[in-house]
Amino acid sequence: MLEKALQGEPRYWGWLVLLLVGIGAGFGAYSVQYQQGLSITGMSRDVSWGFYIANFTFLVGVAASAVMLVLPYYLHHYKTFGRITILGEFLAIAAVTMCILFIIADLGKPQRVNNVLLHPTPNSVLFWDMIVLNVYLILNLVIGWTILGAERKELPPPKWVKPLIYLSIPWAVSIHTVTAFLYAGLPGRGFWLTAILAPRFLASAFAAGPAVLILLAMLVRKLTKFDAGKEAIQTLAKIVTYGIILHIFFFFLEVFTVAYSQIPSHLTHLKYLYFGYHGHGGLVPFMWTALFCGFTAITLLVVPQWRKNEGLLGIAAVLTFICTWIDKGMGMISGGFVPNPLHEVTEYAPTGLEMLVTLGVYCVGALVLTVLYKVAITVKEYEELGGAAPAPH
Amino acid sequence: MMAFNRRDFLKIAGLSAAVGLGGQTAWELLLPGHLDAAEMPAASGLTAKRWGMALDVKKFTPAVRQACIGVCNQSHNVPKIDSKQGLKWIWEAGYEAAFPDLEAEYVEDEIKEMPFLVMCNHCDNPPCVRVCPTKATFKRGDGIVMMDMHRCIGCRFCMAACPYGSRSFNFHDPRKFLPDPAPNKDYPTRTKGVVEKCTFCTERLAVGKLPYCVEASQGAMLFGDMSDAGSAPRKALRTRYSIRRNAALGTNPQVYYLI
Amino acid sequence: MQIKDRPIIIAGILIFLAIFTFPLWSAMGKTAPEPKVELPKDVKECVAPKDYMRTSHMQLLNEWRDSVVRDGNRVFVAFNGKQHNMSLTSECLRCHTDKAKFCDQCHNYTGVNPFCWDCHTYPKESK
Amino acid sequence: MSFIFSIIAVTALVGVALAGVALDLRYFMAVVLPYAALATFVLGVAYRVLKWSSAPVPFRIPTTCGQAKGLDWVKTNKIDNPCSTGAVLARMFLEIFLFRSLFRNTRMEYREGGKVRYGSSKWLWLFGLLFHWSFLIVVLRHMRFFFEPVPGLIQAIEHADTFFEMGLPLPGPNGLEVSLPLLAQSGVILLAAATFLFLRRVVVPQVRYISLASDWFPLLLIILIAKTGIIMRYVLKVDVVAVKKLTMSLATFHPALPAEPISFMFYVHIVLVCTLLIYFPFSKLMHLGGVWLSPTRNLVNNSREVRHVNPWNPEVHFHTYSEYEDDFREQMIEAGIPVEKEA
Amino acid sequence: MATQTPKPQEILTTLGHQPPSENWMDTKPEFRPGMYCHPVKIASLEGMGGKYAREWAPAEPDWKLPADWKGIVKEGLKDRLNRFRSFQVFMDICVRCGACADKCHFFIGTGDPKNMPVLRAELIRSVYRGEFKTAGKILGKLAGGRKLTEEVIKEWFYYFFQCTECRRCSVFCPYGIDTAEITIIAREIINLLGLQIDWIGTPVNACYHIGNHLGLKPHTFKENIEYLLSDVEENVGITIEPTFNRKGAEILFVTPSGDVFADPGIFTCMGYLILFEHLGLDYTWSTYASEGGNFGFFTNNETMKRLNYKMYAESKRLGVKWILGGECGHMWRVVHQYMDTMNGPADHLEVPKNPLTGTVFANARSTKMVHVTEFTADCIKHNKLKLDPSRNDHYTVTWHDSCNTSRGMGFLEEPRFVLNSVCNNFVEMPDTTIREQTFCCGSGSGLNAGENMEQRMRGGLPRANAVRYVHEKHGVNLLGNICAIDRASLKPLMDYWVPEVAVAGLSELVANALIMEGENARSTNLRGEEINDLREEAGLPPIDFPDPDEEGGGEEGDE
């Protein structure tokens, strides 16, 4: 089926070339990093994880969100999602691919990455994260590809995928839970040391992922003959509504616990993020922007007339994306490291090269997504429309 | 001992006899089997059940502190990088930074003003070891939390886990910041991309010597087996009040500060 | 019968021949210099028999590396009962004093690039 | 039967090599045989291709796998239906280096109710590609044994191929230690891909049915070559310097066995490699040369535009119009069809 | 004979693709009625100067081979190895990867492992090894070699007349090994022994002596066309008077003779006539070169050349400027890949130029022969045709790419462009069954005889299966194509597997949609079927056509 990705209009090829340019730039920046070490990043002794891990964390959420399509469709036989489940699964593949690339980009010694397998260490959450992410990638690849292949042949999918699909549902939850455990189990990092971190991650994931899917579905409808359908998009919108509300709600649970208890090692991080701490407040405007976007999105989404207006829905989806991306992509990691356990403040901002590497990884993800969507949509288009070229008139 | 033993030799000898190989050929094949070698710790090495340290804070003068830091950096080829990407094995920290959980508005002036020498606490329950995905950092039988630089993949999970900021990452190639040749040619430098930290000078203990800093501290640092009630640190701790850094986290640090 | 593409095919065959015999004719007439390994003058025996060291020294060093760092072993009791300090820089280089005249000779000859020296230091090289 | 025969044949080869070591035929195995093998290989391949080239291509018969060049406004598939020499080169490149045709592969499924379905099936393409490319890289890496100093390109390939560190000594078979700090990925991929191709032949009934000894034998031979190579690199170490002294003596035509002993495994390896080289020109492995000469792939599809000449265009009898008119003149006139000669 | 053909369900339930346990060299073909063609008639073989003409029957044990048959075959093989590089290379380089195995329609339809292209080639390759190669001579079966025996010849006859030279396997082969090429040569070799099938031998003889495969003599040929024209007059209201053997015409038109003879080809032929009339083309038919097809292609390349000769010869005699060719598959493979080489250069002709649009067909610069579909496409592109595609609204059309024009030419977009211009409902079959991956009708390369009906229905199974898929999914009821053999063979194939689907040539659909000056109400199509009946069947509302008895026809019916 991959050959479908090799046929396309100039617009399609142009987009691929653009992505390849981005990938090239990212690769170039990474070569510099490979030569110079992570010194080219904005990371430091005190903020030892930065943009790469932040984006990794965000994308794990996007990947996990595929379950929001898989679960209603396969567990509750919600037929409306039948047409777009594959879009969710393929988005997950692209997202996990980016996750893995971000981890590799973040390693000081990528050439030793085999060591994680050669010296398996069950007491390390990172070891489990490696396992859940790779298995999730394989699960989605196998399930998505097999079901699409069966659809293309108009045959029922083979029986063995059923158990894999059921497995993929808790597995999606597991990837984000285990990723939250990377942070939530560390002594001395008060910002992360909270049981609600995993639920928070999941809530923001179920807001961000479906929001991305809504935007992708709208884009696909615009660019191709494949229409996800109004109902499917509206159901996604409802999921986003609940997701973003829960995201904000969980955030306030955290705020209450920290602010009411007034324990400094927990409180100072929030202070730093939202008001600045010891004169450092680089993230303050972003964090308020995120909150503003979150509230605006909620407003747009809870009012049914507004939600049903696809223009406003699109805006709400974008706002949701911005809100959750700032939350995880900027606040979550830096917020945990600043201030450090010694209550010293070292601020973090990504460097240009770091952002270029990040761009490259996003371009790889977009390339994977484009190729997979191209395949899926070509198959769907044929299935629904017969695939004949349009009349020349 | 995994590589060299006689049983393997015999197994291979039998195998090669079976395929009709003799003489020279068998010799070539079986060379590893002929290495009837053994590995062991040096007899002169210092041993303990759990190494630990007590710092008599008031004995430190600025010169002593600098001597301790200096000898450590020099002997371990720790490069001096003046940026937030620098490396620290042992360094000075103020009271509030060293003991943030013991925050008190009013404490003894001398304590409040004094810089403390801080380093890896060689915790009995080290979070850094718990999180390492490759066992590159591990706890030895004698309690020392050790780094295997050959195995570290540079994920920096340990840095996030350490509540003391004791770990440093080689953002740069350290040799760029060291004289050539390195100050101590008998001690390796590191490469860019691995994490490092204080090792309680395992290389010194192995040959019967105390850690460099202890030697340079002119008695201000007491080093010994914490499981031995007669050891120097234990004796001091019995008679003196001591504090530990962030002990509430349950890491059970093995570096005590005598107040 | 005139076959039009024959010259192209013959050219192709010649290219094929040229590529596959390249090692032969590029070295034609020359004799390749063999590595000149400078052996210690006063010491006759290494930590393991010579033939073993020739084939498997990297394995021994790997073993040493893990044994020292992870198990705290420092002493190697060799096949001949002699004890050695398990250290590349302070033991191996004690006899093989010049990396360039010992290690590099064969490593360069066989195109091997071990990364020992990324961290471990060595006395001044003779260039 | 052909399968068992092939297993016996490769096993016998190993036996021969071991016997050679035992009987001290090292000079023969490490000097005479390699020269003979290389000569057989290069001359054999050249001869076979030359022989093919002596047969003409009477007609221009490319398999067209896409839209031909036609009306200006019709989009041409220049590569799958090449309209110029450049396009043919592109097609050949994709075919030879990326296995374009195998990329199209599908798998037929026959389901109840007479449903015939075609699914995507790229495994053969993927593993075929991995097999050939890793084989090429392995061969290029071995060039370090034939040049002194080792050329930068070869070193660069080696460097890239051993990017990943192996990181630890693994306990190997028989308690032998398996270790080398640097893992050469191409060797492992080669073995894995060859094993896949082998298992595919065993497992897929249709492929098993068509397999001959000449299919099993080279595959087993290559698997064994890869295995002996991997064993020498990671398990039973070989004195690489001695090996290079030997290979350089061959390359410089001053053949001599080195003074240092070389493990028997090396002799097994080299006997197997030489067998492969000798076997090559007489076997299906000649697809290496044939793929360049396949007339369905290497011709431009422009026979309506440019006349293709058949050097043996046969002289034949034609039934001419005048003969035809002679046969039917009356009826033609009657039917009002113009004729050349009125009755 | 058709009575012997098993029911579709019988074929479907017994079909399997697992190879037997015994070695393929130990199995023999079973000459079961319905699965092979009759031997050539003595007169037909001798008419072309063929040797060893005799009475024989494939099912009989004794095939009465000539005394030195072994020498003839070996010599024939050797000769062709020297003359065809393709043959030599294809004999040597197959690695038996099996990529081709399930690509052959005969393998899919019969499950017979020797219908896997790789094994079909091995049938001859094994003899090549066993008789010409040292290893094969010594090791025999172990080296994949075997000796030439009568059984081998029978096997060749059975399997090389169970290959339609469709080249589908070649598309998937990593070395482009083309079983069609191997079959062509194998057939040449078995022909040397007088072994030929009648469905090929007799048309060849007729074509050579009379002018076309069907043996239509000049006056009959003309009468046939005139008969079609009377139908056109009735259904379209247009009178057409074409010319025959006219000197000085600008264009010579050549089409397969099937088009003037049998349903549904005749409707395609009407289509040409209407189209040319509408355009006012200065063209002529020829009764001498009255055959576009070339069954010589299915015998040997010398015969192919002898039959093909007439096109250029006649164009020269009549002094035309260029040749226009009708819709046909193998005719176009011969025209495209062989004609110029065999009988060219055609210097007496000019580079074809569409007199209406001025388009110069540069792609036919040397052959000087243009496909009617590219010609039509050019006319449509330049708005020279007034078309009403809604006239074909009762059809949901799918497109069958003919093997020869697809894989031996690359003629894929032109017919689709035309089709999209003349009908509104066009649905593609699955992409693994169209374009370069198209499936054969199962009856190509001279195998569309009557006695081998089971073989044909089995071979056509994959094509029919794809049609059934779009029929069931999208309600397809018409299978379009540009091949005379397709028109002749897809009809029984559809009747057998998907009876709801009719078959039509492209030009028929063009003529149906063509708005002509002076035409009638067009309430019937070229087949004389009432449009409103067809629309009712397709679930469409009827059109209010003016009463045909009243005057003032020729206006278009509006909804």
Side-chain angles (χ1 to χ4, degrees), chain A residues 34-39 41-45 48-49 106 108-109 112 115 119-121 123-124 182 189 341-342 347, chain B residues 84-86 97 100 130-131 133 135 149-157 159-160 163 165 168 171-172 191-192:
Chain A
Y34 188 74
Q35 298 294 325
Q36 311 269 316
L38 285 158
S39 59
T41 69
M43 287 184 261
S44 61
R45 213 177 162 281
S48 54
W49 283 336
D106 188 63
K109 285 261 170 229
R112 291 182 185 168
N115 281 359
H119 306 282
T121 312
N123 54 11
S124 171
L182 285 177
R189 304 282 178 191
L342 279 54
E347 283 205 287
Chain B
K84 56 182 187 172
Q85 295 180 337
R130 196 154 62 229
V131 299
K135 302 190 189 81
M149 314 287 182
H150 304 110
R151 191 181 284 185
C152 176
I153 60 172
C155 71
R156 310 187 298 293
F157 202 178
M159 295 175 74
S168 308
F171 287 95
H172 300 268
T191 56
K192 64 171 185 283

Side-chain angles (χ1 to χ4, degrees), chain B residues 100-118:
Chain B
D101 58 328
L102 298 179
E103 202 184 14
E105 220 168 330
Y106 312 109
V107 268
E108 187 186 337
D109 283 350
E110 195 184 351
I111 295 285
K112 195 149 193 184
E113 304 302 317
M114 175 194 287
F116 289 77
L117 276 187
V118 291

Side-chain angles (χ1 to χ4, degrees), chain E residues 25-244:
Chain E
M25 286 193 196
D26 301 330
T27 62
K28 285 185 210 166
E30 182 199 348
F31 285 89
R32 191 156 50 82
M35 290 298 288
Y36 65 92
C37 294
H38 292 328
V40 65
K41 291 190 188 76
I42 293 174
S44 300
L45 192 57
E46 285 179 340
M48 293 302 292
K51 282 190 194 164
Y52 311 116
R54 62 189 181 277
E55 289 289 347
W56 65 284
E60 298 283 318
D62 183 11
W63 284 19
K64 303 173 192 165
L65 295 179
D68 184 30
W69 67 269
K70 215 179 252 188
I72 295 170
V73 171
K74 281 199 200 173
E75 202 40 56
L77 260 170
K78 203 185 274 174
D79 173 42
R80 278 154 189 87
L81 286 168
N82 290 333
R83 277 194 291 140
F84 294 89
R85 183 186 299 161
S86 53
F87 189 45
Q88 214 184 105
V89 171
F90 294 165
M91 283 297 103
D92 284 334
I93 64 170
C94 174
V95 299
R96 286 167 293 281
C97 72
C100 57
D102 55 3
K103 308 300 180 283
C104 173
H105 51 284
F106 277 120
F107 176 67
I108 296 171
T110 63
D112 185 339
K114 287 182 196 172
N115 273 330
M116 291 192 267
V118 48
L119 264 196
R120 198 188 307 281
E122 286 290 317
L123 297 178
I124 199 161
R125 214 177 263 135
S126 57
V127 171
Y128 166 70
R129 283 191 288 257
E131 297 282 358
F132 294 101
K133 294 273 170 177
T134 320
K137 278 190 219 164
I138 298 166
L139 294 171
K141 214 164 155 181
L142 212 47
R146 59 175 178 171
K147 290 286 160 206
L148 189 56
T149 63
E150 275 198 54
E151 291 305 326
V152 168
I153 298 295
K154 289 180 181 177
E155 208 178 29
W156 285 4
F157 179 84
Y158 186 77
Y159 288 105
F160 289 115
F161 285 105
Q162 199 169 149
C163 164
T164 48
E165 305 175 2
C166 79
R167 310 185 104 195
R168 192 168 191 267
C169 47
S170 166
V171 168
F172 296 92
C173 176
Y175 318 115
I177 295 174
D178 182 7
T179 308
E181 194 71 3
I182 292 169
T183 295
I184 288 167
I185 286 162
R187 284 188 184 182
E188 283 199 7
I189 291 166
I190 36 187
N191 280 184
L192 296 175
L193 303 175
L195 301 173
Q196 175 59 289
I197 63 169
D198 193 50
W199 191 255
I200 295 173
T202 295
V204 161
N205 188 44
C207 185
Y208 187 70
H209 292 287
I210 305 173
N212 51 66
H213 292 145
L214 296 167
L216 303 173
K217 293 177 179 168
H219 52 291
T220 325
F221 188 79
K222 187 175 177 227
E223 278 164 17
N224 268 24
I225 290 178
E226 282 162 353
Y227 172 75
L228 302 183
L229 290 170
S230 64
D231 273 10
V232 169
E233 192 156 357
E234 189 173 324
N235 292 318
V236 185
I238 297 287
T239 311
I240 300 171
E241 286 175 353
T243 59
F244 295 85

Side-chain angles (χ1 to χ4, degrees), chain A residues 4 152 154 382-393, chain E residues 389 417 420-421 426-432 469-470 473-474:
Chain A
K4 303 275 163 243
R152 184 193 188 204
E154 198 144 285
Y382 174 71
E383 204 189 313
E384 292 176 10
L385 306 165
H393 318 293
Chain E
F417 173 79
N420 266 321
S421 307
F426 168 35
V427 177
E428 290 276 20
M429 285 182 274
D431 54 356
T432 44
Y469 178 89
V470 283
K473 202 168 161 77
H474 300 290

Side-chain angles (χ1 to χ4, degrees), chain E residues 455-468:
Chain E
Q455 184 194 57
R456 288 174 53 191
M457 295 304 107
R458 283 178 178 275
L461 169 65
R463 170 40 76 223
N465 176 77
V467 176
R468 189 174 56 187

Side-chain angles (χ1 to χ4, degrees), chain E residues 479-512:
Chain E
L479 179 57
N481 62 73
I482 41 165
C483 172
I485 288 183
D486 280 330
R487 285 188 287 275
S489 68
L490 285 175
K491 195 168 180 286
L493 188 75
M494 288 301 112
D495 288 347
Y496 185 81
W497 291 111
V498 206
E500 302 84 353
V501 176
V503 176
L506 185 58
S507 292
E508 179 187 344
L509 295 171
V510 172
N512 272 331

Side-chain angles (χ1 to χ4, degrees), chain D residues 201-212:
Chain D
R201 247 181 219 291
V202 174
V203 172
V204 181
Q206 288 149 11
V207 188
R208 187 171 61 225
Y209 194 67
I210 57 175
S211 293
L212 301 172

